Amino acid sequence: MNYSSILVFFKDQDKEYVGFATLPNQVHRKSVKKGFDFTLMVAGESGLGKSTLVNSLFLTDLYKDRKLLNAEERITQTVEITKHTVDIEEKGVKLKLTIVDTPGFGDAVNNTECWKSVADYIDQQFEQYFRDESGLNRKNIQDNRVHCCLYFISPFGHGLRPLDVEFMKALHEKVNIVPVLAKADTLTPSEVKKKKIKIREEIEQYGIKIYQFPDCDSDEDEEFKQQDLELKESIPFAVIGSNTVVEAKGKRVRGRLYPWGIVEVENSAHCDFVKLRNMLVRTHMQDLKDVTRETHYENYRAQCIQSMTRMVWLDDTTVSKKHPETVWGSER
């Protein structure tokens, strides 16, 4: 081995043992220690199975203290915003899950601008985060921004209702909207397919911006690309929720028992529940948070800074008009 070969050998050894390749492990350990948070909003009229689906998604009971209203009470009820927070731990990873519910939405006789309180709530969370971010103690900021909104669409109809269109158009610049076709077990497979196509066409027709799944990188494996394609084609997700365990073909599964058979919640041939859960939890939770931070919150933040700059400019203009001998605090 000559001298140049020895130098190359030692250079290769140095490159191998620099150590920055362990950075992902350091980030992982720090993130796991800190824990994660995720805020999910559910919206849609009463009776579409919102509570059941949320409990099914996260295997918990977030609505055990809820009081069910009768028809007369629902009609007179105004839209409320309720929060349920639960700490979930799985294989040492901690998740602080916040579910934001909107009881009363779409239940009144006159639903004009019933989405306004929902939009105000999302803006309030942006405002609070902006205040905390601009304050002195920024180390332990709580992120209560809404990362995703599951909007439940009724299966009883011919597509989107005017209320659905108004709600999504009012909020699509503020939050990641994921449309969900509720109570899919009330429809035949062909009806589900037709409704999905109809709803997708109307979403495009009305210019509604729902959450867009990021495109796959060219170096991803074919299986991942296929899963991503299936997710995009599943919009809106046709879902069935159930917390009841029934017996089907000798196995105990979560589902609904009917005189003609059993609908299995976690059977992909019956509904899109598993696809929705995988998207929310396993594959796209971080992307939903990234889009919230980089797009929706940044838009709000830019508007705030622009408004503050305009106010300062107006104040300075007023001062200079009243005292023309002084401009920007100094004499001419």
Side-chain angles (χ1 to χ4, degrees):
M1 182 182 291
N2 58 29
Y3 180 71
S4 59
S5 300
I6 293 172
L7 281 178
V8 170
F9 171 78
F10 279 110
K11 283 180 181 177
D12 288 343
Q13 287 293 96
D14 287 342
K15 284 181 181 178
E16 186 178 351
Y17 291 102
V18 167
F20 60 79
T22 63
L23 275 172
N25 297 332
Q26 295 175 41
V27 173
H28 174 75
R29 282 197 302 270
K30 188 175 180 180
S31 299
V32 169
K33 187 177 180 181
K34 184 180 178 183
F36 301 87
D37 46 51
F38 188 73
T39 300
L40 176 69
M41 175 180 278
V42 288
E45 68 182 48
S46 299
L48 292 181
K50 301 188 298 294
S51 310
T52 305
L53 182 70
V54 168
N55 288 336
S56 303
L57 283 169
F58 299 100
L59 299 178
T60 185
D61 187 4
L62 290 169
Y63 300 89
K64 54 188 174 184
D65 300 323
R66 185 183 58 166
K67 178 190 173 185
L68 295 175
L69 303 178
N70 59 36
E72 186 179 350
E73 289 171 325
R74 285 208 307 271
I75 288 172
T76 56
Q77 183 190 26
T78 56
V79 180
E80 297 178 13
I81 302 294
T82 60
K83 285 173 61 177
H84 306 269
T85 302
V86 62
D87 294 316
I88 305 173
E89 185 170 344
E90 183 179 83
K91 295 183 179 180
V93 179
K94 296 176 183 177
L95 174 68
K96 181 185 176 184
L97 173 69
T98 302
I99 302 296
V100 180
D101 202 353
T102 57
F105 176 81
D107 292 342
V109 175
N110 182 1
N111 289 303
T112 305
E113 292 193 344
C114 65
W115 43 262
K116 195 173 186 308
S117 58
V118 181
D120 289 343
Y121 176 83
I122 294 173
D123 283 339
Q124 286 166 13
Q125 306 315 305
F126 283 157
E127 181 184 359
Q128 186 59 52
Y129 193 88
F130 181 71
R131 288 177 183 273
D132 293 343
E133 193 179 45
S134 306
L136 296 174
N137 184 17
R138 294 181 292 177
K139 187 176 180 181
N140 299 311
I141 297 178
Q142 284 194 342
D143 185 7
N144 293 317
R145 294 171 295 184
V146 180
H147 301 116
C148 178
C149 174
L150 292 183
Y151 185 73
F152 286 66
I153 299 168
S154 173
F156 314 116
H158 299 287
L160 297 178
R161 299 169 304 163
L163 179 61
D164 300 330
V165 175
E166 288 298 319
F167 177 90
M168 289 193 277
K169 287 186 76 172
L171 270 74
H172 66 179
E173 299 282 4
K174 300 176 183 289
V175 68
N176 296 310
I177 297 176
V178 176
V180 169
L181 182 60
K183 293 186 176 291
D185 50 336
T186 62
L187 302 169
T188 65
S190 61
E191 287 174 335
V192 168
K193 190 174 181 181
K194 288 177 183 176
K195 267 192 191 303
K196 283 190 175 194
I197 294 171
K198 175 73 171 173
I199 291 169
R200 283 200 295 265
E201 287 175 350
E202 290 182 335
I203 284 173
E204 186 175 352
Q205 175 188 339
Y206 291 111
I208 298 168
K209 301 171 188 174
I210 60 173
Y211 171 66
Q212 296 296 314
F213 297 106
D215 294 327
C216 288
D217 295 329
S218 57
D219 58 346
E220 294 285 359
D221 57 51
E222 291 302 319
E223 184 180 354
F224 185 84
K225 289 179 180 178
Q226 182 61 33
Q227 288 176 352
D228 185 69
L229 181 63
E230 288 178 5
L231 275 179
K232 291 175 180 177
E233 291 177 347
S234 296
I235 295 291
F237 292 97
V239 296
I240 303 165
S242 175
N243 298 311
T244 306
V245 177
V246 296
E247 191 166 324
K249 298 178 181 178
K251 295 189 299 181
R252 291 177 64 79
V253 297
R254 278 191 301 151
R256 292 184 176 274
L257 182 62
Y258 292 101
W260 44 262
I262 293 173
V263 174
E264 298 176 37
V265 170
E266 296 178 328
N267 187 334
S268 297
H270 293 183
C271 69
D272 297 327
F273 175 86
V274 173
K275 291 177 184 175
L276 176 62
R277 185 178 62 187
N278 287 345
M279 185 278 289
L280 279 177
V281 181
R282 295 187 179 183
T283 58
H284 289 76
M285 180 179 279
Q286 188 57 51
D287 187 66
L288 286 163
K289 295 181 69 170
D290 290 343
V291 174
T292 299
R293 184 185 71 250
E294 296 167 5
T295 303
H296 300 304
Y297 173 67
E298 278 304 313
N299 289 341
Y300 175 85
R301 184 172 174 273
Q303 289 171 7
C304 283
I305 293 173
Q306 191 175 13
S307 298
M308 291 163 63
T309 305
R310 190 183 299 116
M311 287 174 65
V312 171
W313 182 82
L314 288 172
D315 288 344
D316 289 334
T317 303
T318 304
V319 170
S320 63
K321 285 181 179 178
K322 287 183 178 179
H323 305 281
E325 74 281 0
T326 304
V327 178
W328 296 100
S330 61
E331 293 184 358
R332 289 181 184 270

